[in-house]
Amino acid sequence: MIDKLESFIVLAKTQHFGRAAEELGVTQPTLSAAIKQLEDILGVMLVRRGSRFQGLTPEGEQVLAWAQRITSDARTMREEMRAARFGLSGRLKIAAIPTALAMTPMLTTPFREKHPGVSFSVLSRTSIEVLSMLGNLDIDAGITYLDNEPLGNVVSVPLYSERYHLITAAGNPYSDRPRISWAEVAELPLCLLTPDMQNRRIIDLHLAEAGATARPTLESNSMIVLFSHIRTGKWSSIMPMNLAETFGFVEPIRAIPIVEPDASHLVGLVVARREPHTPLVAAFLEQARRLAADLGPMAPSKL
């Protein structure tokens, strides 16, 4: 039953029999037979079928929620038994918004020192994708904004406040200023994250509050692309200070606080609200709480 439920979850996620079979490492007829057997056991149709996958039935949507809960409990049981015998081990899957990727070593490094049998996968995702992946059990934990858009049914640990600076080369307009307004920033040739990123939506919001509109001359979903353009001296960007410091500019780059308004947004760890959590997730939550306590008032300068 657990295997059939896990197959059903993958099919619901991929919405394609062929891709689901490939992800599961089985043939498409084997997957189809497993779903049919699950339907026979439960006495309801789960999948609308035609020449290809056409979605879940209402009963299928109900079963999907149960399937995620049951397989999560089974996974927790297996991990608890393994941890009881051998200590914590396995792979912890994390997704983080691009502006928070630079702080993940503050969680992963001390965690692995304490639990050397654990390895990590760290992915860069939008805030919406982070929450979706949590709900679909594709990741164990996420790092995202906590105070700007609905989080849903999660446990969160606030880590730090993100404050925004103009990152620009010396000699560019406003580069010698101690601070700059959002309205003035809008006048510059900017390179920014793409509109699907929550950081960009936050920036657009604060520019609008100042009566300005972002007109970036370059957009990317990669922070590396933005930093490489700033290094040319011809582009500027709006970034959290802690992120800019991580890249350690050798060139004469200035980071100027943006005011009017002096905005900040809370970033933290999120995990799905399930009881009990797997041993890995429970231990990682505790690591995040220790980091939050060490950072104190969540000042970005401590990152």
Side-chain angles (χ1 to χ4, degrees), residues 43-54:
V44 294
M45 294 291 293
L46 302 176
V47 178
R48 293 197 298 270
R49 293 176 176 82
S51 57
R52 54 187 176 180
F53 181 88
Q54 295 181 351

Side-chain angles (χ1 to χ4, degrees), residues 10-33:
V10 173
L11 176 61
K13 180 182 70 173
T14 60
Q15 299 187 4
H16 191 279
F17 275 95
R19 287 196 293 271
E22 183 178 354
E23 184 170 328
L24 291 163
V26 300
T27 65
Q28 191 167 325
T30 299
L31 172 61
S32 297

Side-chain angles (χ1 to χ4, degrees), residues 6 13 21 50 79 91 98 107 110 118 186 219 228 243 254 259 262:
E6 289 177 340
K13 180 182 70 173
E79 288 197 11
R91 179 171 292 271
L107 285 167
V118 176
E219 296 175 321
S228 64
L243 180 64
R254 303 284 188 262
V259 297
D262 183 8

